[in-house]
Amino acid sequence: MALRSASRSVLLGLIGLLALGVVATVQAAPAEPAVEIDPALADRARDEHSYAEPDKVRIRDLALNLHVDFDTRSLRGAADYALDWQDDKARELVLDTRDLSIDKVLGRRADGLWRRLDFKLDAPDPVFGSALRIEMRRQYEVVRVRYRTSQSASGLQWLEPSMTAGGKQPFLFSQSQAIHARSWVPLQDTPSVRYTYSAVVHTPPNLVALMSADNPVSPVRNGRYVFRMSQPIPSYLMAIAVGDLAFKPISARAGVWAEPQTLDAAVEEFADTERMIEVTESLYGPYRWERYDLLILPPSFPFGGMENPRLSFITPTVMVGDKSLVSLIAHELAHSWSGNLVTNASWKDIWLNEGFTSYVETRIIEALYGIERAQMEIVIEQTSLRRALAELDAKDQVLVLPPLEGRDPDDALSPVAYIKGAWFLSFLEQRYGREAFDAFLRGYFDRYAFQSIDSGTFLGHLRETLMAAQPDVVSETELQAWLFEPGVPEFAVPASSPRFTAVDAARKSFLDGEKAAAELGSSDWSTQEWLHFLEGMPEVLESAQLIALDEAFRFTGTANGEFAMRWYPLAERSGYFEARPAMAEFLKRIGRRKLIMPLYTALAATPEGLEFARAVFAEARPGYHPITSASVEAALK
């Protein structure tokens, strides 16, 4: 039913039902058939990826005391949980764990003394780990768990000195999203539970420890580091890193942590970070996390970035010397509003995190670098979305995903959440106008600050504000198509770029044999134009064409991972085996999944390529994060 034909009373009733996540079918006006809202809205707040029972008890605050042991590749220590009991009759605390050894569990009595509590670990599930069930005769306000991690902890990567930039000291970093925090801390590992935390971390005295908390900019290397995160966060945003790290400021509230060998280059590459913060504040309200620092990790980091509050983890693969890939920084910063501040309550609603963030990222890039660059980046993203949709099941192409029962929540981390989500928000901006839509987003971030919400809550807010104020602008049928139907709606307006039109013409003239590679007039092309040039190539090229391109532009051996992830698969599909040695070096040097998975997939398509890929992976694996290794293993089966 289109909102333009609804009476005000029906509209308000629908707002209330959907805000509560209740399935409703509203009688349509004769002009349009009724639109049935997807039943998945009925239970959006439940997190099927956690054993925790937050309706009975919630962690309010976590206090960690951890020892970092590089020899055994483990963390050991204790976690103290300050609890808010929701159910007076509850006598059990259920925590998520994966591959943890639990030594003992204690409860603190009113007199301050600790009492040993009974506990048991359920049989492990290969995806979700084991429920830790702590039984008690009375409700304790504080419970302590003494534990240690395993060498196979999926959320931790331990690097030998040879895998770092300095080559002399080991390195540790975490990656908790989506449900890997449970592999290094027993937790209610669900984004629906937010808590504050503190930590004391003990390390070798020559190393520095950092967390997603209040890191001192001039730490004393004494092997003992104290942290506090005073804003409530979900478990996937808790992070730790230990290594030979140094700091340089960008502004009074932003700076860069990195190994000394990469620090100066990182500060230069990301010099616009403060300007990005200021732009986002002008659009969507104040930055509420005090500091915003970047930690540049070794190249084995499996993602481009991770939005850990106060300390975004960043891959060095975006440091190419010309700031052409700093949209990644804009993305991780944008999470300080969309994701960290207002969080999806479960991973089936991840578009609330990533779609909003991708939209805000584009607005930051447009404000700082111009609409032309922003539009080019949107075209590249939308092209990649359409390519991804061709390989995704229809059920995974919707924004409001059905419950992911029994599935790894990493399955939800697809271009659908990011790019289709941002496209939907751009559609709303186009329909309602930028001024109205900016006010809507700012109000949304204010209203739900430091809360975890579901799609039903978002829809209720959308209807109460934008759609109620302008009921004739977006129909219910259009809303249904964006949120609950696969693919991209036929009425969606794709982004376009005049500069890409020129690139398309140059590519065609080369492919048609009208111009040699060196005659394409590409000397002033931006990184985005080169990416579009490569993305538009056919699946296979002739050997002479590949040789001509490589001789003219030196794609083989490129230091730009975005070029490499497009060139090497094309070379492999086309039988350009001269690129194999450089491919192998690239795969052994880089652990970022986005950059290497297209090449592993292309190699796995032929028996000879699969043999080559397995040999390279055997050498590269020690430097890969467990998340990356699992992805490569799946591709090479």
Side-chain angles (χ1 to χ4, degrees), residues 140-255:
Y140 288 89
E141 293 184 1
V142 178
V143 168
R144 172 176 294 169
V145 176
R146 295 191 180 277
Y147 72 98
R148 68 182 63 229
T149 65
S150 74
Q151 289 189 3
S152 60
S154 62
L156 300 176
Q157 182 164 19
W158 304 83
L159 299 179
E160 297 292 340
S162 61
M163 301 173 187
T164 67
K168 295 181 179 180
Q169 299 294 340
F171 204 105
L172 163 68
F173 65 86
S174 65
Q175 172 54 38
S176 295
Q177 192 180 20
I179 57 170
H180 300 285
R182 66 189 65 181
S183 74
W184 63 283
V185 184
L187 282 169
Q188 291 179 314
D189 195 11
T190 167
S192 66
V193 173
R194 306 176 73 100
Y195 57 89
T196 55
Y197 80 87
S198 61
V200 179
V201 178
H202 307 270
T203 73
N206 56 341
L207 300 179
V208 172
L210 303 173
M211 295 192 76
S212 53
D214 57 348
N215 299 289
V217 296
S218 300
V220 177
R221 296 196 182 204
N222 60 5
R224 184 180 185 274
Y225 301 91
V226 179
F227 305 95
R228 179 67 186 165
M229 167 53 77
S230 56
Q231 292 91 355
I233 64 167
S235 55
Y236 77 93
L237 293 177
M238 193 163 65
I240 188 171
V242 179
D244 180 16
L245 295 166
F247 176 83
K248 276 195 174 182
I250 292 174
S251 68
R253 59 176 169 176

Side-chain angles (χ1 to χ4, degrees), residues 300-358:
S300 57
F301 185 53
F303 300 109
M306 182 60 210
E307 63 271 18
N308 303 311
R310 304 195 192 192
L311 187 69
S312 286
F313 284 16
I314 304 297
T315 173
T317 61
V318 296
M319 294 170 52
V320 292
D322 60 4
K323 300 184 182 180
S324 63
L325 301 180
V326 297
S327 57
L328 176 82
I329 307 302
H331 185 92
E332 304 312 329
L333 170 66
H335 269 302
S336 301
W337 284 261
S338 50
N340 297 7
L341 187 65
V342 183
T343 308
N344 52 231
S346 71
W347 297 112
K348 55 185 173 288
D349 279 328
I350 191 172
W351 80 277
L352 293 175
N353 278 22
E354 298 299 350
F356 279 72
T357 295
S358 296

Side-chain angles (χ1 to χ4, degrees), residues 11 23 43 171 179 318 333 342 347 359 364 372 376 378 411 455-456 460 481 527 594 598 601 605 623:
L11 173 63
V23 181
D43 193 20
F171 204 105
I179 57 170
V318 296
L333 170 66
V342 183
W347 297 112
Y359 171 83
I364 297 171
E372 191 173 66
M376 286 193 291
I378 295 172
D411 291 347
S455 289
T527 292
K594 171 191 172 183
T601 301

